[in-house]
C-alpha cells in the first residue's frame, strides 16, 4: 500500500510527527488537503512539498521563474484559461502542450484545455507564486480582464475615438471591467514600488511603463490593451475629476484610492499627443514620516545640516534636477522644526505630501496666485519658518531674500547641477551679490542613487569593475585613489526575483553641503565663477556629490556605476 504524503514527509525528515498531528487536527475543521495545511501553517515550504508530491505522482518540479515561454504558446493558450485555472503554459511541441500547475490533483485544467484547444496536455509542478509571476510577465497586467472585455464586443480604438458618443464613453469608463483593469494597473504599480505610471499611445500600440527607483521599466501588458485605450483614459479622467470631453488641452487632477489597507493619492497629468493623449500618474502615500536621519546623509553632513536648520533666520537652498529628492529633504527639515512654538508656512507647486501642523498653499498661476504674490501675503501671518517650493525668477528671489533678512528662516530650491552653482544662478537672474552673501546660509546639492538589493548583494573586487567599465582619465584616477594600492572589495547586486533582476532595491541620497562662510561670502561678492567657488569650498572641507557617492560605494550601499550615472555632469 502506497504511503500517504504526511508519512513520506516524516520519512524524509521534512516535518515531525507532531507537525502532522497538528495539521490533521486542523484538517478536521477546514477539510483542506493536508499538504496545503502544512504549507499554510509554516511546517514546510511549498517548494519542498511539490518536490515530494512530484516524486509521488511521477511529475517533474520546475523553477519556472527564469523560463521564457515563446510567443507561439502564449498566443495559443488564451488568457481566460490560464488566469482562471492559475496555470502557466510552457511549450507546444508535436501537439503536446506542457503546462505548469501548483495542484497535481486538479485535473480540470487538463480536460478543459484538451477539449477546447485540441492539444494533449502534460503537466509539471511549480509554486503558485512562480506561476502568478510568470503569468504577469508573459500575459501582462490585467490580461484576463482585457480578453473578457474584448470578447464581450468592445471595439477597436480607431472606431471608438471616431464615432463614440460621450455618454457611451462614460458608461464604458464606469463598467466593472474597465474599473477592474485600471485598478489592476494601479495595484501592480504599487506592488512593484513604482512612483509613476506612464501610459503612452502610439500609432498601433499602447505603452505601459512604471518608474521604479528612478528608472522607467516596461510593464508587461497584453498587446490588445491598445483597443481599450479610450476607456482607460476616460476612467482615469473620471477618477481625477477631469473633463472627459476635452482632448486638445493639458489637464491635471488628483484622486485618492485605497489599495489593501493603505491609502494613496494619485496626481494625474494628461497631455494631448499625435495619437490621442499621454497619461502620467504620480503615486503618493497619503501618510509619510519624514526624518533627516533617514535621508542618507553622512554623519559629518548631518551635523552641518542640524546646525544650519537651528539658525533663527537666513535661507537654505536645496539644489538639483527634477526627481533628485529635494522636496523630501525640505519636508524632513520642516518636520524636525515642527513644534507648537513655531508657525510654519509653505508655498508649493504642487503640494506632494500633507504635513500635519504646517499650513501649506498650492500656487495657481491662472488666478495670479504665484510664489511672489503668496510670499507677500504670508508675511502678514506672522510665520517663524517658511518654505518656498522653488525660486524661478528675480521677483520671487528678491522677496524670499527680504523675508530672510527680516528675521525668518526660509527653505527653498533651485535647479542647478551642484551647490556652488546656486550662487551664480541667483546672480544670473538679477540678484545683487551682497544680498546673497547677507541672506543665504547654505546651498545643498543632492541626487538619488539606487541602493544595492540586500537579497542578492555579492562582493566584487574593484579591479574587476574597472576592467568591465569604460573609464575616462578622471574616473580611473578616482578608482585608483579608492584602491590606494590595494584591491578593495566593494558590492553589487547580482539580480534576483525580489529586485526584478535589477540588482537594486530602494534609493538613498548623496549630498554636498556648501555653508556660506566668510570666505565664501567674499568670493560671492567678487562674482567669481562657480568652479572657483567650488574649489574654495572643497579646500574648506566640503565633500562633493561624487565623493559622498564613493563613500557609499565603499560602505556597500550603492555601486560605482550608479554614482557615475547620477553625477555625470560633476567633477569629483
Amino acid at each position: 500500500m502506497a504511503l500517504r504524503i504526511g508519512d513520506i514527509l516524516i520519512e524524509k525528515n521534512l516535518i515531525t510527527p507532531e507537525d502532522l498531528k497538528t495539521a490533521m487536527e486542523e484538517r478536521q475543521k477546514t477539510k483542506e488537503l493536508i499538504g496545503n495545511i502544512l504549507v499554510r501553517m509554516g511546517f514546510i515550504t511549498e517548494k519542498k512539498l511539490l518536490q515530494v508530491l512530484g516524486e509521488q505522482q511521477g511529475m517533474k518540479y520546475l523553477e519556472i521563474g527564469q523560463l521564457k515561454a515563446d510567443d507561439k504558446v502564449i498566443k495559443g493558450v488564451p488568457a481566460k484559461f490560464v488566469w482562471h485555472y492559475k496555470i502557466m503554459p510552457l511549450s507546444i511541441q508535436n501537439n503536446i502542450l506542457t503546462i505548469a500547475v501548483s495542484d497535481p490533483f486538479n485535473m480540470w485544467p487538463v480536460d478543459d484545455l484538451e477539449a477546447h484547444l485540441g492539444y494533449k496536455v502534460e503537466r509539471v509542478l511549480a509554486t503558485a507564486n512562480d506561476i502568478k509571476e510568470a503569468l504577469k510577465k508573459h500575459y501582462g497586467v490585467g490580461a484576463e480582464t482585457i480578453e473578457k472585455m474584448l470578447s464581450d464586443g468592445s471595439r477597436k480604438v480607431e472606431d471608438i475615438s471616431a464615432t463614440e458618443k460621450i455618454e457611451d464613453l462614460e458608461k464604458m469608463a464606469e463598467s466593472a471591467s474597465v474599473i477592474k483593469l485600471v485598478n489592476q494597473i494601479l495595484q501592480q504599480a504599487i506592488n512593484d514600488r513604482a512612483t509613476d505610471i506612464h501610459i503612452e499611445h502610439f500609432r498601433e500600440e499602447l505603452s505601459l511603463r512604471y518608474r521604479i527607483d528612478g528608472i522607467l521599466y516596461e510593464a508587461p501588458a497584453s498587446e490588445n490593451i491598445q483597443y481599450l485605450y479610450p476607456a482607460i483614459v476616460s476612467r482615469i479622467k473620471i477618477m481625477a475629476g477631469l473633463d472627459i470631453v476635452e482632448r486638445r488641452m493639458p489637464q491635471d487632477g488628483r484622486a485618492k484610492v485605497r489599495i489593501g489597507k493603505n491609502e494613496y493619492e494619485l496626481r494625474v497629468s494628461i497631455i494631448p499627443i499625435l495619437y490621442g493623449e499621454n497619461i502620467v500618474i504620480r503615486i503618493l502615500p497619503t501618510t509619510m514620516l519624514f526624518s533627516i536621519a533617514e535621508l542618507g546623509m553622512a554623519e559629518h553632513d548631518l551635523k552641518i545640516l542640524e546646525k544650519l536648520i537651528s539658525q533663527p533666520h537666513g535661507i537654505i537652498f536645496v539644489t538639483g534636477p527634477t526627481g533628485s529628492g529635494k522636496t523630501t529633504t525640505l519636508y524632513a527639515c520642516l518636520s524636525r522644526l515642527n513644534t507648537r512654538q513655531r508657525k510654519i508656512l509653505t508655498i508649493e507647486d504642487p503640494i506632494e505630501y500633507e504635513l500635519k501642523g504646517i499650513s501649506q498653499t498650492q500656487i495657481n498661476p491662472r488666478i495670479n496666485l504665484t510664489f511672489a504674490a503668496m510670499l507677500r501675503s504670508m508675511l502678514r501671518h506672522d510665520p517663524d519658518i517658511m518654505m518656498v517650493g522653488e525660486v524661478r525668477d528675480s521677483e520671487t528671489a528678491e522677496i524670499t531674500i527680504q523675508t530672510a533678512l527680516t528675521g525668518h528662516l526660509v527653505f527653498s530650491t533651485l535647479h542647478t547641477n551642484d551647490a556652488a552653482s546656486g550662487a551664480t544662478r541667483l546672480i544670473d537672474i538679477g540678484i545683487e551679490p551682497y544680498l546673497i552673501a547677507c541672506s543665504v546660509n547654505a546651498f545643498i546639492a543632492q541626487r538619488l542613487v539606487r541602493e544595492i538589493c540586500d537579497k542578492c548583494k555579492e562582493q566584487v573586487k574593484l579591479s574587476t569593475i574597472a576592467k568591465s567599465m569604460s573609464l575616462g582619465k578622471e574616473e580611473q584616477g578616482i578608482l585608483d585613489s579608492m584602491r590606494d594600492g590595494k584591491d578593495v572589495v566593494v558590492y553589487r547586486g547580482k539580480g534576483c526575483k525580489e529586485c526584478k533582476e535589477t540588482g537594486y532595491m530602494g534609493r538613498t541620497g548623496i549630498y554636498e553641503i556648501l555653508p556660506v562662510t566668510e570666505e565664501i561670502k567674499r568670493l560671492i561678492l567678487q562674482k567669481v565663477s562657480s568652479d572657483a567657488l567650488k574649489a574654495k569650498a572643497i579646500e574648506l572641507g566640503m565633500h562633493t556629490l561624487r565623493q559622498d557617492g564613493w563613500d557609499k560605494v565603499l560602505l556597500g550601499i550603492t555601486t560605482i556605476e550608479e554614482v557615475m550615472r547620477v553625477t555625470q555632469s560633476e567633477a569629483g
Side-chain angles (χ1 to χ4, degrees):
M1 184 171 134
L3 287 174
R4 294 181 301 175
I5 187 63
D7 298 325
I8 296 172
L9 295 174
I10 291 173
E11 189 178 275
K12 289 179 175 287
N13 293 319
L14 294 172
I15 62 171
T16 65
E18 291 74 21
D19 295 338
L20 181 59
K21 183 182 177 184
T22 304
M24 293 296 287
E25 290 171 355
E26 178 71 9
R27 187 184 182 188
Q28 296 300 317
K29 304 174 191 172
T30 65
K31 308 303 180 185
E32 287 178 80
L33 292 172
I34 196 69
N36 293 346
I37 296 172
L38 289 166
V39 171
R40 178 165 59 80
M41 298 186 82
F43 295 140
I44 190 172
T45 65
E46 185 185 10
K47 177 180 175 179
K48 291 282 187 187
L49 174 67
L50 290 177
Q51 287 172 335
V52 174
L53 283 173
E55 292 175 14
Q56 185 194 41
Q57 301 294 319
M59 297 172 64
K60 287 183 184 176
Y61 171 83
L62 289 181
E63 300 270 3
I64 66 170
Q66 302 301 319
L67 293 181
K68 177 78 171 83
D70 60 35
D71 290 340
K72 179 185 174 184
V73 70
I74 299 302
K75 290 177 180 176
V77 184
K80 63 182 179 182
F81 282 113
V82 299
W83 283 102
H84 177 71
Y85 287 120
K86 301 296 186 291
I87 61 173
M88 179 62 204
L90 300 177
S91 65
I92 299 175
Q93 291 182 340
N94 302 322
N95 209 45
I96 297 174
L97 170 64
T98 302
I99 62 172
V101 302
S102 61
D103 182 358
F105 304 110
N106 182 7
M107 294 303 295
W108 282 107
V110 175
D111 297 339
D112 210 354
L113 288 170
E114 288 184 342
H116 286 85
L117 302 181
Y119 296 115
K120 183 179 185 310
V121 176
E122 291 187 355
R123 300 176 303 157
V124 297
L125 292 175
T127 66
N129 188 62
D130 280 356
I131 291 172
K132 181 181 176 183
E133 291 302 314
L135 289 177
K136 288 180 188 174
K137 177 181 175 182
H138 291 95
Y139 282 88
V141 179
E144 80 284 14
T145 307
I146 294 167
E147 190 164 301
K148 180 180 183 300
M149 291 173 69
L150 292 176
S151 66
D152 288 344
S154 295
R155 285 161 288 166
K156 291 189 178 183
V157 58
E158 293 85 358
D159 298 330
I160 294 172
S161 60
T163 64
E164 200 70 76
K165 293 180 181 179
I166 187 62
E167 293 86 357
D168 295 331
L169 275 179
E170 284 179 337
K171 289 176 187 174
M172 191 191 307
E174 293 292 6
S175 75
S177 294
V178 174
I179 292 171
K180 181 180 178 183
L181 176 58
V182 172
N183 287 349
Q184 286 171 330
I185 291 171
L186 291 170
Q187 175 79 66
Q188 189 59 47
I190 289 166
N191 289 347
D192 288 347
R193 302 180 298 106
T195 53
D196 302 86
I197 302 170
H198 290 246
I199 304 173
E200 302 158 299
H201 195 260
F202 301 102
R203 184 190 289 270
E204 293 180 349
E205 67 174 317
L206 189 70
S207 168
L208 176 64
R209 294 188 291 173
Y210 295 153
R211 188 176 293 280
I212 303 169
D213 293 335
I215 306 293
L216 274 174
Y217 294 97
E218 201 76 36
S222 165
E223 60 184 24
N224 291 329
I225 196 173
Q226 63 175 309
Y227 302 134
L228 302 172
Y229 160 74
I232 293 170
V233 173
S234 297
R235 174 60 193 161
I236 292 170
K237 284 183 176 179
I238 288 171
M239 287 174 65
L242 302 177
D243 184 353
I244 70 170
V245 182
E246 181 57 72
R247 298 171 184 167
R248 301 166 301 167
M249 297 291 290
Q251 295 191 72
D252 296 300
R254 289 174 178 265
K256 192 172 281 189
V257 296
R258 182 186 293 276
I259 304 288
K261 296 180 180 178
N262 299 316
E263 283 191 356
Y264 297 88
E265 186 158 313
L266 309 179
R267 208 167 70 211
V268 178
S269 179
I270 301 178
I271 59 170
I273 55 162
L274 183 60
Y275 294 104
E277 294 168 286
N278 270 7
I279 303 173
V280 174
I281 303 173
R282 170 65 59 87
I283 304 170
L284 301 168
T286 53
T287 55
M288 281 278 285
L289 296 175
F290 296 95
S291 166
I292 62 173
E294 295 176 4
L295 292 174
M297 283 190 177
E299 191 174 342
H300 58 87
D301 282 341
L302 197 55
K303 287 178 180 176
I304 295 171
L305 181 63
E306 292 272 15
K307 185 176 179 181
L308 287 169
I309 66 175
S310 67
Q311 301 298 312
H313 54 78
I315 308 173
I316 297 172
F317 280 110
V318 181
T319 78
T322 300
S324 59
K326 300 187 298 295
T327 302
T328 300
T329 298
L330 292 177
Y331 280 2
C333 292
L334 294 181
S335 295
R336 170 60 66 89
L337 296 169
N338 187 16
T339 66
R340 298 307 297 164
Q341 289 73 44
R342 297 187 179 103
K343 177 155 186 176
I344 303 176
L345 303 176
T346 75
I347 315 167
E348 304 175 57
D349 181 27
I351 296 171
E352 293 205 8
Y353 297 100
E354 183 180 339
L355 298 174
K356 187 177 180 181
I358 294 176
S359 300
Q360 298 170 265
T361 301
Q362 164 87 47
I363 72 161
N364 187 350
R366 291 181 184 176
I367 58 172
N368 204 32
L369 186 64
T370 62
F371 282 116
M374 275 305 302
L375 264 169
R376 291 190 188 95
S377 296
M378 280 188 166
L379 287 174
R380 303 187 195 104
H381 280 251
D382 188 29
D384 298 293
I385 298 164
M386 296 180 68
M387 183 185 101
V388 182
E390 184 184 345
V391 168
R392 300 174 180 171
D393 52 60
S394 59
E395 184 183 17
T396 305
E398 285 172 2
I399 301 172
T400 301
I401 286 171
Q402 290 302 324
T403 301
L405 291 174
T406 52
H408 300 86
L409 182 61
V410 183
F411 295 88
S412 190
T413 70
L414 285 169
H415 280 287
T416 64
N417 284 331
D418 59 12
S421 298
T424 53
R425 169 69 178 148
L426 292 173
I427 292 171
D428 288 342
I429 63 175
I431 304 303
E432 291 295 333
Y434 76 90
L435 288 175
I436 301 170
C438 290
S439 62
V440 179
N441 292 347
F443 295 97
I444 303 171
Q446 71 175 82
R447 299 286 190 279
L448 292 176
V449 293
R450 291 180 292 172
E451 295 183 284
I452 301 168
C453 173
D454 283 333
K455 302 290 185 183
C456 60
K457 182 184 281 191
E458 63 178 9
Q459 291 185 339
V460 59
K461 290 181 178 178
L462 210 49
S463 58
T464 305
I465 292 178
K467 287 176 186 175
S468 65
M469 293 175 65
S470 114
L471 300 173
K473 186 176 179 181
E474 177 196 345
E475 288 79 17
Q476 189 61 57
I478 291 167
L479 283 182
D480 290 341
S481 67
M482 288 172 70
R483 283 199 296 242
D484 193 23
K486 303 171 186 174
D487 202 355
V488 178
V489 171
V490 291
Y491 293 86
R492 69 180 173 193
K494 188 177 180 181
C496 64
K497 263 198 317 187
E498 293 295 321
C499 63
K500 308 288 184 187
E501 305 300 329
T502 63
Y504 297 98
M505 178 77 81
R507 290 191 291 176
T508 190
I510 58 173
Y511 302 87
E512 65 180 32
I513 302 180
L514 196 166
V516 182
T517 60
E518 291 303 320
E519 294 95 328
I520 298 299
K521 286 180 182 179
R522 282 197 291 271
L523 293 179
I524 291 172
L525 291 170
Q526 294 169 23
K527 293 188 178 181
V528 302
S529 68
S530 59
D531 287 342
L533 207 58
K534 184 170 187 174
K536 184 63 177 177
I538 292 171
E539 184 186 318
L540 294 171
M542 181 184 79
H543 282 221
T544 66
L545 286 168
R546 273 205 173 165
Q547 285 171 332
D548 193 29
W550 303 141
D551 288 344
K552 287 182 169 63
V553 168
L554 293 173
L555 289 170
I557 296 170
T558 190
T559 64
I560 290 174
E561 295 91 337
E562 187 65 6
V563 174
M564 297 280 289
R565 181 182 69 84
V566 303
T567 62
Q568 286 176 5
S569 60
E570 301 303 315

